[in-house]
C-alpha cells in the first residue's frame, strides 16, 4: 500500500493543523471572489481544504484518504495526470502540498491547464524537485505570484 494509504487514519491528527493554515492562507489571498467560482482541489487528501471554499470539489487517488472525509462536498477518486473532467470545467484549481508526490507533475499541470484558467498551487519547499517543479509550473501555467511559506512554496495565477 502507498504511503498515504498507510497513514490515512492518522493524517488529520498528524498534519491537519498545518494543512489548515495553508488552505487559510490561500483563501485569504484569493478572497471572496472565489465564492462564485467553481473550484477543484487536486490531491485533496482527506478533504481538509473543502471547507475553505463554497463551490469546491476534490479529487484524490487514495480510497483510504477519501474514507477519512466526513464533510458534505464531493471528493472523488482519480489522479492529477488524468483529470476526469471536460476542458474548461473549473474557474480555479487548488492543489496543496501534493505536486511533489505526483508521478508526472508536468502532465498533471497540463491537465490543470486544460480544465481551468486559474491556479493556486503549493508544494513542499524542501522537496528535492523544488527547482524542477517551479520551472514546470511557470512553463506550463505561465508566470505567477510566488510566495514562500514556512513549509510550502505557493504559486498563484488568478488571471484577470
Ligand atoms: C500531503 S497530502 C496533501 C493532501 C491535502 N491537499 C492536504 O493539504 O491535506 C498529498 C496528497 O496527494 C495525493 N496524491 C499523490 N499522487 C497523486 C496523483 N498522482 N494525483 C493526485 N493526487 C495525488 C496523495 O494521495 C495525498 O493525499
Amino acid at each position: 500500500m502507498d504511503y498515504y494509504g498507510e497513514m490515512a487514519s492518522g493524517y488529520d491528527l498528524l498534519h491537519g493543523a498545518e494543512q489548515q493554515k495553508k488552505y487559510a492562507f490561500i483563501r485569504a489571498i484569493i478572497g471572496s471572489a472565489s465564492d462564485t467560482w467553481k473550484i477543484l482541489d487536486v490531491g485533496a487528501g482527506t478533504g481538509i481544504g473543502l471547507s475553505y471554499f463554497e463551490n469546491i470539489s476534490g479529487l484524490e487517488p487514495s480510497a483510504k484518504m477519501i474514507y477519512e472525509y466526513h464533510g458534505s462536498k464531493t471528493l472523488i477518486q482519480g489522479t492529477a495526470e488524468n483529470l476526469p473532467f471536460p476542458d474548461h470545467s473549473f474557474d480555479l484549481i487548488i492543489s496543496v502540498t501534493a505536486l511533489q508526490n505526483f508521478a508526472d507533475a508536468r502532465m498533471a499541470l497540463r491537465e490543470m491547464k486544460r480544465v481551468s484558467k486559474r491556479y493556486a498551487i503549493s508544494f513542499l519547499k524542501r522537496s528535492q524537485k523544488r527547482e524542477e517543479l517551479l520551472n514546470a509550473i511557470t512553463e506550463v501555467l505561465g508566470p505567477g505570484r510566488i510566495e514562500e511559506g514556512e513549509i510550502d512554496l505557493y504559486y498563484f495565477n488568478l488571471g484577470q
Side-chain angles (χ1 to χ4, degrees), residues 18-156:
E18 184 180 304
Q19 297 310 111
Q20 281 169 10
K21 278 195 228 160
K22 297 177 188 178
Y23 280 103
F25 175 67
I26 289 174
R27 177 68 178 78
I29 289 203
I30 293 173
S32 55
S34 63
D35 289 353
T36 58
W37 291 349
K38 191 174 171 200
I39 302 173
L40 178 69
D41 186 354
V42 178
T46 56
I48 289 171
L50 303 184
S51 57
Y52 287 81
F53 298 90
E54 299 287 327
N55 187 7
I56 187 169
S57 52
L59 175 129
E60 162 61 36
S62 164
K64 298 228 167 184
M65 291 291 270
I66 294 172
Y67 181 75
E68 298 299 322
Y69 177 57
H70 304 298
S72 58
K73 305 240 168 83
T74 303
L75 179 52
I76 66 159
Q77 193 168 17
T79 59
E81 292 85 351
N82 184 17
L83 296 177
F85 303 102
D87 298 356
H88 316 299
S89 297
F90 297 94
D91 299 301
L92 171 69
I93 293 289
I94 287 177
S95 183
V96 177
T97 329
L99 193 67
Q100 75 284 330
N101 293 126
F102 295 170
D104 188 337
R106 221 168 248 275
M107 169 101 73
L109 292 163
R110 283 199 291 267
E111 277 291 86
M112 292 178 191
K113 185 169 186 185
R114 183 180 65 76
V115 302
S116 181
K117 55 180 186 277
R118 299 186 188 91
Y119 324 93
I121 298 170
S122 83
F123 63 89
L124 280 182
K125 64 182 194 182
R126 65 163 191 269
S127 167
Q128 286 173 352
K129 294 187 266 182
R130 174 180 166 140
E131 289 312 310
E132 183 188 325
L133 293 176
L134 252 188
N135 287 339
I137 290 174
T138 47
E139 277 169 35
V140 177
L141 302 180
R145 169 175 168 185
I146 306 291
E147 294 283 342
E148 184 146 354
E150 217 177 297
I151 300 167
D152 283 20
L153 261 195
Y154 297 80
Y155 164 88
F156 295 91

